Amino acid sequence: MGARVQELLDTFAAPGANAAELLCDRHPAEATAFTVIDAELNFVDISYGELREKSTQFAAALTALGVRRGDHVATLMGKSAELVIALLGIWRLGAVDVPLFTAFAHDAIAFRLQSSGAQLVICDADQRRKLVPPGEIPTDASLPVIVARGEAFGYDHSFAELLAGTSALFSSDSPDSSGSSGESDGGLPTIAGLSNDGGSVAVGGDGALVQLFTSGTTGTPKGVPIPLRAVASFVGYHRFGLDVRADDVFWNMADPGWAYGLYFALLAPMAAGDRSLLLSAGFSADLTWAVMEKFAVTNFAAAPTVYRSLRAGSAPGAGHALRRASSAGEPLTPDVISWGRDAFGLEVHDHYGQTELGMVAGNAWADGLQEDLRPGSMGEPLPGWSVDVLSEDSDASAPDGESGRIAVNVLKSPFMWFDAYVAAPEKTAERFSEGGEWYLTGDSGRRDADGYIYFSSRDDDVIIMAGYRIGPFDVESVLVTHPRVAEAAVIGTPDEIRGEVLEAYVVLRDASEGSEELVAELQRLVKDKFAAHAYPRRVHFVPELPKTPSGKVQRFILRAQRAETPTHSRPAP
């Protein structure tokens, strides 16, 4: 695997690396890049040749709008051919994409636009209203906007017209039709400094492709610059962790507004020259099964939330052709693995990573890397990465089985690409050990004698009760095995005697079944299956758990809500 890791680095980290060439132009023009599917299962295939032609046209349109190398362009778009064309057009210019998740409201979008310094936004028509505060309308002083998949209005530009070259933007008296942009044979301005045959800017391995923001699980989102060389590690996971092969029908359900979708539903498949499915409809269990069946999906990746929803809302024995099923984003509870054996005829493999890293550990699928699953383990370090569990009070490895800090050895991880947040030196310093040898993930876990790593919690989520360190995930994993429980989150709350005690927030499959008797059942279950001291002293039945748009449970919100609503009753002893 070491030779393959080096080969990927030689390709994507080279000084002359060119994103458009590596992600699109070098692949056979007739090969299918994406199959875009709608809610009625209608679909359209888009080839690498079509992507090259249309993204080159779009890059010329962006040039006419003043976009240059290093500029930031935001994309507020769902899964579509237009999104892929827009991204490749941005990267042809050496510009930087700022992904915006379509579930964001105005404030979250405005924060990212301001923080990134984006000078232009490309959005779907149904997202346009979010770019101005509620009740206001765009003006000529607003940020320039290109509207896709719907009508442009007012001061906006039409994505379709820009592609067709019919916008007034390209008229002879347009202020941008002269200067660094000339006229090509097709009537579109040529890209400054590029050839007329689809050339593109080579930014090199250290050149930025994307500025993505962390999910804000524990605080204000931070800007993460993603260089072209990071794609080497993405392809490594694509091949080693997911085991995507040339003849696979690959479907990663994650949204490209977040790391797992951007890195592994778009970038990695394009870099590898593979076909990837994009579903441009909202999630439902029935639709997911229907896509799997109609398109004979063989390699599937999704967040644990998707698998739990499939388990709750799917008919037994649904047909599929899966040979690989993978999960990432949140720890995968053992009950989902057991369900997967019945529903898929195979075990769902859990994988671990972060926005700042990509995927660094997992229960790899590739031949030669597969091992028997160990329930609760997120697996072993993937090729190109060195991951360990450090002691709480030093940068030495923690003893086997002892809780500690999950960390990546920077010096021994050739795929390591993150080195700093944007304009946040204090936050960057928190991520690295003194001397820079270790990247500290902010997650707690343990390692067994064979090197398997087990996630426990985010550092901020660790509960310390009477001197015992308790990871909420361990308790949550037990709670969700109860047949009436759909989801659970555990937090620590202050206690005069123990320092902290555990409280559980539980979403039931049937909300009407919450009772004191069920509370007692859940407490006994934790005592019997995990530890007698680590049971939740209180159980709150709630309709839903607070989550980030990418599906991560926000326990800090539960802690804040709990602090505002104290109870007069004492917790169970």
Side-chain angles (χ1 to χ4, degrees), residues 462-470 493 495 497-502 532-535 537:
V462 170
I463 303 161
I464 302 177
M465 187 182 76
Y468 293 100
R469 294 177 62 86
I470 302 168
T493 59
D495 181 78
I497 298 174
R498 302 174 184 86
E500 285 185 298
V501 293
L502 281 72
H533 70 283
Y535 71 95
R537 265 57 178 183

Side-chain angles (χ1 to χ4, degrees), residues 111-451:
F111 170 83
R112 287 160 174 79
L113 291 177
Q114 182 177 10
S115 296
S116 66
Q119 68 177 65
L120 183 148
V121 182
I122 309 165
C123 73
D124 290 334
D126 62 0
Q127 299 290 319
R128 179 62 179 89
R129 58 184 173 78
K130 298 179 181 179
L131 296 177
V132 293
E136 297 188 16
I137 60 173
T139 70
D140 59 354
S142 301
L143 203 63
V145 175
I146 298 173
V147 176
R149 299 206 289 171
E151 285 192 28
F153 58 92
Y155 300 99
D156 296 341
H157 304 284
S158 164
F159 187 98
E161 289 183 1
L162 295 183
L163 269 189
T166 60
S167 172
L169 176 68
F170 301 121
S171 64
S172 59
D173 58 355
S174 169
D176 287 315
S177 64
S178 59
S180 60
S181 295
E183 283 290 322
S184 69
D185 292 340
L188 283 170
T190 59
I191 304 171
L194 307 182
S195 63
N196 291 345
D197 61 356
S200 50
V201 173
V203 298
D206 291 330
L209 285 185
V210 177
Q211 181 176 324
L212 190 58
F213 285 82
T214 60
S215 62
T217 304
T218 57
T220 303
K222 300 175 287 293
V224 179
I226 301 162
L228 179 53
R229 61 188 167 90
V231 179
S233 71
F234 302 161
V235 178
Y237 171 68
H238 184 75
R239 294 295 191 221
F240 306 141
L242 298 174
D243 189 34
V244 179
R245 303 177 184 178
D247 59 352
D248 266 329
V249 179
F250 174 61
W251 185 21
N252 178 346
M253 283 195 70
D255 193 281
W258 291 105
Y260 197 67
L262 176 66
Y263 297 171
F264 306 115
L266 296 184
L267 279 167
M270 282 196 289
D274 292 330
R275 172 195 181 204
S276 181
L277 303 188
L278 295 177
L279 177 63
S280 62
F283 172 80
S284 77
D286 289 342
L287 180 57
T288 302
W289 285 117
V291 171
M292 285 190 186
E293 293 175 19
K294 176 170 180 174
F295 295 91
V297 175
T298 59
N299 198 314
F300 181 66
T305 301
V306 168
Y307 289 103
R308 289 193 291 266
S309 298
L310 287 175
R311 180 183 63 181
S314 58
H320 64 84
L322 285 183
R323 68 176 191 87
R324 300 287 187 258
S326 305
S327 174
E330 277 278 288
L332 190 67
T333 49
D335 60 298
V336 175
I337 297 173
S338 298
W339 168 81
R341 294 190 194 105
D342 296 329
F344 299 135
L346 52 84
E347 296 173 319
V348 182
H349 282 206
D350 194 15
H351 300 146
Y352 171 80
Q354 292 187 330
T355 300
E356 299 91 332
L357 302 170
M359 306 306 290
V360 300
N363 296 282
W365 276 113
D367 291 344
L369 295 176
Q370 272 198 66
E371 302 283 354
D372 292 338
L373 287 189
R374 303 190 182 191
S377 172
M378 62 191 192
E380 302 173 283
L382 293 169
W385 296 98
S386 176
V387 186
D388 201 355
V389 177
L390 304 181
S391 296
E392 297 291 351
D393 55 0
S394 76
D395 291 340
S397 296
D400 295 339
E402 182 177 296
S403 181
R405 300 169 295 156
I406 300 173
V408 173
N409 190 309
V410 175
L411 305 179
K412 297 181 180 178
S413 298
F415 274 158
M416 183 71 188
W417 52 267
F418 173 78
D419 55 16
Y421 295 114
V422 175
E426 298 87 0
K427 294 296 183 183
T428 298
E430 293 173 3
R431 273 285 173 258
F432 292 92
S433 64
E434 188 173 351
E437 179 181 2
W438 295 97
Y439 169 88
L440 308 173
T441 65
D443 293 332
S444 295
R446 57 187 172 85
R447 179 198 59 252
D448 67 20
D450 296 320

Side-chain angles (χ1 to χ4, degrees), residues 21 39 52 55 79 101 150 169 171 188 230 320 340 354 429 477 545 560:
E21 172 68 21
R52 177 175 182 172
S55 65
K79 303 168 190 173
F101 185 41
L169 176 68
S171 64
L188 283 170
H320 64 84
Q354 292 187 330
S477 296
L545 300 176

